[in-house]
Amino acid sequence: MTRPQFVQPPEPTSAVEYVERGNRYSRNGVYERAIADYTAAIELDAECADAWFNRGVSWYEVGDYPQSIADLTEAIRLDPEDDNYYSRRSLSYLFNDQPEEAQADMDVSEAIRLRAWG
């Protein structure tokens, strides 16, 4: 019985493809590679809120809370109605010893959820 050969997938060519590959790296805890892919996505499409969000989450995972806050802030600027963006930035604020900002983001996140479920 022969084993199938591993075929390396092609290099991403779009922001979406870089985000998708970055997400795979992130799910496996390879945050440095995820950050590199999200950065490539941002270079291709600076308006890609998901790339900013996911890179911000990856910065959080490696303990760089100021960079996480900066990226999540940009994601929020691009898509201010995504409650998850605020709740994730809240965690970065909390670990960056900014409890007032953390609470403010949780309040905004909750308000968006209430409007959505209204």
Side-chain angles (χ1 to χ4, degrees), residues 42 46-53 55 67-80 85 89:
I42 290 165
E47 302 294 307
C48 181
D50 282 343
W52 290 99
F53 171 75
R55 191 172 76 170
Q67 190 61 55
S68 174
I69 291 165
D71 281 2
L72 293 169
T73 299
E74 182 61 15
I76 289 168
R77 185 189 72 75
L78 293 167
D79 187 1
Y85 291 5
R89 187 174 69 174

Side-chain angles (χ1 to χ4, degrees), residues 10-21 37 40-41 43-45:
E11 266 306 289
T13 58
S14 70
V16 170
E17 290 172 351
Y18 274 108
V19 168
E20 289 171 353
R21 188 173 76 176
D37 274 358
E43 289 169 355
L44 288 172
D45 181 3

Side-chain angles (χ1 to χ4, degrees), residues 35-101:
I35 289 166
D37 274 358
Y38 300 137
T39 300
I42 290 165
E43 289 169 355
L44 288 172
D45 181 3
E47 302 294 307
C48 181
D50 282 343
W52 290 99
F53 171 75
N54 289 318
R55 191 172 76 170
V57 171
S58 292
W59 285 123
Y60 168 86
E61 293 293 343
V62 299
D64 190 337
Y65 307 120
Q67 190 61 55
S68 174
I69 291 165
D71 281 2
L72 293 169
T73 299
E74 182 61 15
I76 289 168
R77 185 189 72 75
L78 293 167
D79 187 1
E81 291 302 311
D82 191 316
D83 65 283
N84 194 34
Y85 291 5
Y86 293 93
S87 63
R88 294 304 293 243
R89 187 174 69 174
S90 174
L91 289 173
S92 292
Y93 276 136
L94 196 59
F95 280 89
N96 202 47
D97 198 28
Q98 295 177 267
E100 294 84 11
E101 291 86 347

